[in-house]
């Protein structure tokens, strides 16, 4: 368990390093686009180090793509993740070595969604400071966008004769901040049509940002007292219990992660209790309505009759898993089959090392043990927070018995997977 804890701390350290790299790129690339490539060695060295950092990150995240025997990229990379591949890949190219046009650098900005993803994870992890972090990140993005707008404005303006590059930039930043904050002193005014258009867009953006910022802060303050107080009191009780029972630190961390996840999704109430108070027909309707979006996402259910969908919606049970959770391990007796609503899991071979496949939104697993009455053929580990639905053995068999087409599809996939298992 403590290994798990250490791993998380290392992951966190890596994320901080990566975030620093991405922030450098986000600041540096627009600067270079406007003021030309770095002349001084220090800029070149940092750029080179960032390329190495992105390459290492790419390798860590995507090594299973290369280690998977006989799998093609299309089968090894789940649909959702292909977009992330697009995010990670451009950062790996050592553009400086090719010496192409400086505009190519913009490709590196494609790594920015990773920064956003990490910030969301930090907010989720550090639930006690979630509101504060939200504000800090908001200010960060605002300053970054101001920097971009300033670089754009600097490129539209003719440089004042005595100004060097930093002074030219400072004037542009000054204009950007006064315009975004809708102060508009009017000491720097647009002269040409493109400048006017740029100024209009910046002002409109500034008004929107201002509204959003004020709204966010107000919402945050209002929220902090009521709902959070309730949440914290339940969390305090949980913390006392975990301490009293001397639950290991790593496990405690995961329990907190789980609660943080529930909290973020506004699921701080028990769905089953609410539903149990309703009459049966209404309960069925709600089950169908709640799971419709998910059911439409699963290729297996596409084209299923409304009757089958109804049956499936009623039988499916929601389950949540936190990163690193083993949903089950190879060799165990199978009691459930799972569908992924949101999140990613790894299918790990019996040796506990080989990653056979990665499954994500809309995929299913755990069918082999139920179909062929055999122990689990592989372990399944959650990579991130996973929203899932499961069938228990009886529901699974009932659905298979009533719907032969569905049964044939599941059986075919199970046989294909079994054949692909490492022997
Ligand atoms: P089961 O044997 O019940 O538990 C492990 C699950 O991993 C298995 O069912 C399949 O759902 C899944 N699985 C096994 N092999 C593969 C594979 N090659 N590709 C995708 N999923 C697999």
């Amino acid at each position: 368990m403590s290994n798990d804890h250490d791993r998380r701390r290392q992951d966190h350290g890596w994320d901080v390093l990566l975030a620093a790299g991405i922030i450098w790129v986000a600041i540096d690339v627009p600067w270079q686009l406007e003021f030309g490539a770095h002349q001084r060695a220090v800029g070149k060295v940092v750029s080179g180090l960032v390329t190495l950092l992105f390459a290492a990150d790419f390798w860590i995240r995507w090594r299973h793509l290369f280690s998977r025997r006989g799998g093609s990229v299309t089968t090894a990379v789940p649909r959702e993740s292909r977009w992330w591949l697009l995010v990670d890949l451009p950062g790996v190219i050592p553009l400086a070595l090719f010496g192409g046009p400086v505009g190519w650098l913009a490709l590196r900005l494609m790594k920015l969604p990773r920064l956003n993803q990490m910030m969301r994870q930090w907010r989720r992890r550090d639930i006690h400071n979630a509101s504060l972090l939200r504000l800090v990140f908001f200010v960060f993005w605002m300053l970054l966008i101001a920097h971009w707008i300033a670089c754009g404005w600097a490129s539209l303006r003719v440089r004042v004769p005595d100004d060097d590059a930093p002074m030219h930039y400072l004037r542009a930043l000054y204009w950007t901040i006064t315009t975004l904050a809708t102060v508009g002193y009017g000491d720097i005014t647009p002269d040409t049509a493109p400048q006017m258009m740029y100024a209009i867009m910046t002002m409109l953006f500034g008004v929107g940002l201002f509204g959003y910022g004020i709204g966010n802060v107000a919402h945050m303050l209002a929220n902090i007292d009521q709902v959070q107080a309730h949440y914290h009191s339940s969390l305090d009780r949980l913390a006392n219990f975990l301490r009293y029972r001397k639950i290991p630190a790593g496990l405690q961390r995961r329990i907190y992660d789980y609660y943080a996840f529930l909290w973020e999704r506004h699921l701080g109430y028990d769905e089953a209790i609410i539903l149990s108070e309703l009459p049966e027909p209404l309960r069925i309707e709600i089950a169908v309505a709640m799971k419709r979006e998910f059911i439409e996402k699963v290729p297996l259910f596409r084209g299923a009759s409304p009757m089958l969908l109804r049956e499936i919606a009623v039988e499916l049970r929601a389950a949540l898993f936190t990163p690193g959770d083993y949903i089950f391990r190879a060799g165990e007796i199978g009691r459930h089959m799972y569908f992924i609503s949101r999140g990613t899991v790894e299918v790990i071979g019996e040796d506990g090392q080989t990653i056979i496949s990665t499954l994500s939104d809309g995929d299913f697993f755990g069918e082999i043990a139920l179909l062929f009455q055999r122990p689990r053929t592989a372990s399944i580990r959650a990579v991130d927070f996973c929203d899932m639905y499961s069938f228990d053995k009886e529901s699974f068999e009932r659905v298979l018995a009533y719907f032969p087409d569905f049964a044939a599809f599941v059986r075919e996939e199970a046989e294909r997977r079994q054949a692909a298992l490492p022997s």
Side-chain angles (χ1 to χ4, degrees), residues 68 75 328-338 346-348 356-359 364-372 374-380 413-414 416-422:
R68 191 167 178 265
T75 54
F328 52 72
R329 291 179 194 260
E332 286 178 8
I333 309 272
R335 296 200 179 81
H336 293 91
M337 172 191 179
Y338 296 85
E346 287 171 336
V347 181
I348 301 170
I356 302 173
S357 180
T358 310
L359 304 173
F364 64 87
F365 59 87
E367 77 292 356
I368 297 180
L370 301 193
L371 268 179
F372 303 114
R374 55 174 290 185
R376 295 290 191 196
T377 53
S379 305
I380 305 282
E413 182 66 13
R416 195 189 61 72
R417 285 177 173 180
Q418 246 184 334
L421 282 170

Side-chain angles (χ1 to χ4, degrees), residues 201-315:
M201 282 187 319
T202 308
M203 278 185 268
L204 286 179
F205 182 69
V207 171
L209 204 68
F210 215 60
Y212 178 80
I214 299 272
N216 239 333
V217 173
H219 178 77
M220 204 181 81
L221 293 178
N223 254 354
I224 280 175
D225 345 319
Q226 300 170 18
V227 193
Q228 203 141 319
H230 173 70
Y231 175 70
H232 281 155
S233 78
S234 13
L235 214 59
D236 281 347
R237 267 189 308 159
L238 179 72
N240 287 338
F241 164 76
L242 295 176
R243 260 199 308 272
Y244 180 66
R245 290 287 176 204
K246 298 198 174 54
I247 305 293
L251 184 55
Q252 285 196 24
R253 185 70 252 162
R254 286 172 54 192
I255 294 172
Y256 286 130
D257 280 355
Y258 173 75
Y259 271 93
F261 183 62
L262 281 188
W263 165 252
E264 175 151 293
R265 290 286 177 81
H266 306 288
L267 289 177
Y269 46 81
D270 193 339
E271 220 168 81
I273 293 181
I274 295 184
L275 290 181
S276 69
E277 289 169 358
L278 294 169
E280 171 104 15
L282 264 186
R283 227 176 19 228
I284 296 178
E285 291 300 321
I286 291 186
V288 173
M290 274 187 343
K291 292 164 195 164
R292 174 165 294 132
E293 192 192 336
F294 157 71
I295 288 175
E296 280 167 2
K297 210 158 49 177
V298 181
L300 186 63
F301 298 148
R302 235 165 255 156
S305 66
M307 241 194 19
L308 173 58
L309 291 184
R310 217 173 146 83
E311 192 70 27
I312 289 169
V314 173
E315 301 287 358

Side-chain angles (χ1 to χ4, degrees), residues 1-38:
M1 204 53 73
S2 76
N3 278 348
D4 207 36
H5 193 57
D6 289 349
R7 213 193 66 218
R8 273 153 188 270
R9 277 181 39 195
Q10 281 167 10
D11 284 355
H12 190 66
W14 180 255
D15 280 354
V16 170
L17 197 65
L18 187 67
I22 300 177
I23 292 172
W24 156 266
V25 164
I27 295 172
D28 177 58
V29 167
W31 176 276
Q32 286 200 57
L33 290 181
E34 165 51 17
F35 297 103
H38 288 298

Side-chain angles (χ1 to χ4, degrees), residues 47-360:
S47 280
L49 287 178
V50 168
T51 307
L52 285 180
L53 178 71
F54 285 2
D57 180 61
F58 183 82
W59 174 249
I60 290 169
R61 283 180 205 273
W62 296 98
R63 64 175 177 257
H64 59 273
L65 260 191
F66 306 101
S67 61
R68 191 167 178 265
R69 282 160 297 167
S72 69
V73 169
T74 36
T75 54
V77 185
R79 284 173 302 283
E80 283 289 309
S81 308
R82 279 183 212 153
W83 184 75
W84 284 113
L85 192 59
L86 201 68
V87 166
D88 286 330
L89 201 53
V92 179
I93 309 168
L95 292 165
L97 294 184
F98 299 140
V102 82
W104 281 107
L105 280 176
L107 271 179
R108 303 197 138 198
L109 295 176
M110 291 193 56
K111 192 87 177 167
L112 272 174
R114 277 278 178 220
L115 184 61
N116 193 31
Q117 186 198 35
M118 282 188 279
M119 286 177 168
R120 259 192 280 150
Q121 265 169 11
W122 287 333
R123 254 178 35 208
R124 199 182 276 164
R125 288 267 153 92
D126 197 358
I127 195 74
H128 295 289
N129 295 316
S131 299
L132 182 70
L133 285 181
R134 194 193 178 100
L135 194 67
V136 169
F137 294 153
F138 175 70
V139 171
F140 163 79
W141 284 113
M142 214 177 65
L143 290 178
L144 190 62
I145 291 172
H147 167 68
W148 292 342
I149 296 177
C151 287
W153 179 252
S155 74
L156 290 175
R157 300 284 287 185
V158 180
R159 205 185 279 193
V160 175
D162 291 340
D163 280 359
D164 53 1
M167 191 60 203
H168 185 54
Y169 171 76
L170 194 61
R171 273 187 213 284
L173 188 64
Y174 165 79
W175 174 86
T176 306
I177 301 287
T178 50
T179 310
L180 276 184
T182 61
V183 174
Y185 288 120
D187 49 351
I188 300 177
T189 48
D191 303 322
T192 61
Q195 288 180 16
M196 280 181 200
M197 268 148 53
Y198 196 81
I200 291 172
M201 282 187 319
T202 308
M203 278 185 268
L204 286 179
F205 182 69
V207 171
L209 204 68
F210 215 60
Y212 178 80
I214 299 272
N216 239 333
V217 173
H219 178 77
M220 204 181 81
L221 293 178
N223 254 354
I224 280 175
D225 345 319
Q226 300 170 18
V227 193
Q228 203 141 319
H230 173 70
Y231 175 70
H232 281 155
S233 78
S234 13
L235 214 59
D236 281 347
R237 267 189 308 159
L238 179 72
N240 287 338
F241 164 76
L242 295 176
R243 260 199 308 272
Y244 180 66
R245 290 287 176 204
K246 298 198 174 54
I247 305 293
L251 184 55
Q252 285 196 24
R253 185 70 252 162
R254 286 172 54 192
I255 294 172
Y256 286 130
D257 280 355
Y258 173 75
Y259 271 93
F261 183 62
L262 281 188
W263 165 252
E264 175 151 293
R265 290 286 177 81
H266 306 288
L267 289 177
Y269 46 81
D270 193 339
E271 220 168 81
I273 293 181
I274 295 184
L275 290 181
S276 69
E277 289 169 358
L278 294 169
E280 171 104 15
L282 264 186
R283 227 176 19 228
I284 296 178
E285 291 300 321
I286 291 186
V288 173
M290 274 187 343
K291 292 164 195 164
R292 174 165 294 132
E293 192 192 336
F294 157 71
I295 288 175
E296 280 167 2
K297 210 158 49 177
V298 181
L300 186 63
F301 298 148
R302 235 165 255 156
S305 66
M307 241 194 19
L308 173 58
L309 291 184
R310 217 173 146 83
E311 192 70 27
I312 289 169
V314 173
E315 301 287 358
L316 284 176
R317 294 279 165 271
L320 286 172
F321 296 94
T322 57
D325 281 352
Y326 275 85
I327 289 101
F328 52 72
R329 291 179 194 260
E332 286 178 8
I333 309 272
R335 296 200 179 81
H336 293 91
M337 172 191 179
Y338 296 85
F339 295 88
I340 307 173
S341 171
R342 199 155 10 153
T344 308
V345 300
E346 287 171 336
V347 181
I348 301 170
E350 278 177 328
D351 59 1
Q353 302 281 333
T354 322
I355 295 173
I356 302 173
S357 180
T358 310
L359 304 173
S360 68

